[in-house]
Amino acid sequence: MPADQHAPRRILVTGVGANPGFGLTRSLIRRGHTVIAADANRLAPGFLLPSVVPRVIPLAGDSDFPGVMAGLCRDLAVEAVVAGIEPDLEPLTQMAPGLDADGVRLWLPDAPSVRVCTDKALFHEVLTEHGIATPRTWQPTDLDQVADGAELVIKPRRGHGAQNVHFVRSREHARVLCELVPEPILQERIHGREFTADCLVDRSGRASVILRSRDLVKAGLATVSTTFDDPTARGLVVRTLSAVGALGLCCVQGFILGDGTVTITELNARAAGGFPLTEAAGADLVGQMVNGLFGMPVDHSRLTYRTGMFMTSYTETLAVGEAAELERTATAKGEAS
């Protein structure tokens, strides 16, 4: 029987302690799939979601990450792996041939495209080469080229979320932060309407784009969002996806300036933390991702959405109990081996 998005699948999701992996796990469970919830932190909140098969895995940078992941896929009859956090993308891309030989599906861009998406300095170079507006970017050694008083963002060249991101106005402060932030880059700070585009790119390169404004942002996460449409923003997002060779589920961030022009700031080859709004607005984002993951056509007619839909997010209480119970639950996850 051909694969069908409604047929239950066994899908391993990494990074279930972070918003994207947590949200993907919930969405897949609602669709009837069995989720192997994986994270390097044994206290990851996603381990407590009902019906998941929780497993502790090494950090992506650890040498035993590939072996542990391959073993989990074999032992738990995993049919596909979906990365929920940035650091897992490159090692999973390298593992793709071996996973495929074991019958485990991945749906990621090729290795060069993943590197562009995970390296902010390289992303800036690629977009500049393609004439796509993006914030001016400097290396710490180029700091003297930046006008003193310019608004800057200091951030890690690699990484995810808003970790180690700082805003400054003076070269003196920027110089100090470049000593503290790991692998730092400097970017001009952009002001305007900040947005995220939830995207699904099929194997022919066709992309569906769902735009939502980041109305209230806390610690890098949009806690209030609203869906909208803007032809200029949508067009530049599609150009960006093409420029980096994006494939599958991904998200693009940028700003719409006061004059209507658009600037792209980053592209992540994974789901965004706020993608549940996209689904609430009518786009079958995860369902069509599962289709593509298992080699079925993506139905772009199912990826339309209603504008003017909003979502508010806040930290929720997932479980309450005795501390000893939490310890037993965490231990039961089992360090994968």
Side-chain angles (χ1 to χ4, degrees):
M1 177 182 293
D4 184 272
Q5 68 163 329
H6 301 295
R9 298 289 187 174
R10 294 179 64 81
I11 300 174
L12 189 153
V13 178
T14 72
V16 299
N19 276 28
F22 188 93
L24 279 170
T25 298
R26 275 187 158 167
S27 186
L28 288 166
I29 290 171
R30 283 197 299 269
R31 286 167 169 78
H33 302 293
T34 298
V35 176
I36 291 82
D39 200 282
N41 189 330
R42 68 192 188 94
L43 299 178
F47 287 161
L48 297 173
L49 287 170
S51 82
V52 302
V53 180
R55 287 295 183 273
V56 176
I57 60 173
L59 292 167
D62 291 355
S63 59
D64 54 350
F65 178 87
V68 169
M69 288 291 290
L72 273 181
C73 290
R74 288 192 297 270
D75 295 345
L76 299 177
V78 170
E79 297 176 80
V81 175
V82 178
I85 55 173
E86 222 83 358
D88 297 341
L89 293 169
E90 286 203 52
L92 285 174
T93 303
Q94 295 165 4
M95 291 174 61
L99 290 174
D100 184 66
D102 288 339
V104 180
R105 303 269 188 159
L106 276 176
W107 196 22
L108 291 172
D110 60 22
S113 296
V114 168
R115 279 195 293 274
V116 170
C117 295
T118 55
D119 183 332
K120 295 177 178 63
L122 185 56
F123 181 71
H124 170 265
E125 292 177 11
V126 170
L127 263 60
T128 301
E129 290 171 1
H130 284 80
I132 297 172
T134 191
R136 289 177 293 175
T137 300
W138 300 270
Q139 298 293 334
T141 53
D142 301 325
L143 183 56
D144 290 340
Q145 300 176 17
V146 182
D148 197 28
E151 290 190 79
L152 296 173
V153 183
I154 316 296
K155 62 174 70 171
R157 180 170 179 164
R158 299 173 179 84
H160 60 98
Q163 298 174 359
N164 294 302
V165 175
H166 304 274
F167 303 98
V168 298
R169 283 180 174 269
S170 76
R171 281 203 299 254
E172 180 183 356
H173 290 160
R175 189 170 285 110
V176 170
L177 285 167
C178 284
E179 295 292 329
L180 301 175
V181 172
E183 284 193 283
I185 59 170
L186 303 89
Q187 288 186 336
E188 65 173 326
R189 186 174 184 182
I190 305 297
H191 293 278
R193 186 183 190 186
E194 189 177 4
F195 70 88
T196 293
D198 294 313
C199 309
L200 193 63
V201 184
D202 67 23
R203 287 181 171 80
S204 73
R206 181 181 175 184
S208 282
V209 174
I210 298 92
L211 297 170
R212 49 186 174 82
S213 58
R214 294 161 59 86
D215 303 320
L216 180 61
V217 179
K218 292 187 176 183
L221 297 173
T223 58
V224 181
S225 299
T226 309
T227 56
F228 71 101
D229 191 27
D230 181 291
T232 302
R234 185 168 8 93
L236 200 60
V237 166
V238 170
R239 285 182 58 197
T240 302
L241 295 167
S242 176
V244 305
L247 180 68
L249 184 59
C250 51
C251 63
V252 178
Q253 290 188 10
F255 287 84
I256 301 174
L257 282 59
D259 62 0
T261 59
V262 180
T263 295
I264 301 297
T265 54
E266 64 182 73
L267 190 159
N268 301 305
R270 55 158 175 82
F275 83 86
L277 173 57
T278 282
E279 296 200 312
D284 183 30
L285 190 68
V286 173
Q288 296 307 310
M289 181 272 289
V290 172
N291 270 5
L293 184 61
F294 287 97
M296 294 179 64
V298 170
D299 184 353
H300 289 274
S301 71
R302 299 283 306 280
L303 291 166
T304 59
Y305 67 104
R306 287 175 288 166
T307 60
M309 295 289 291
F310 82 95
M311 180 180 72
T312 63
S313 301
Y314 197 69
T315 302
E316 65 176 293
T317 300
L318 186 62
V320 176
E322 297 289 340
E325 178 187 351
L326 176 62
E327 183 62 30
R328 285 194 299 273
T329 302
T331 302
K333 309 314 174 198
E335 295 273 351
S337 59

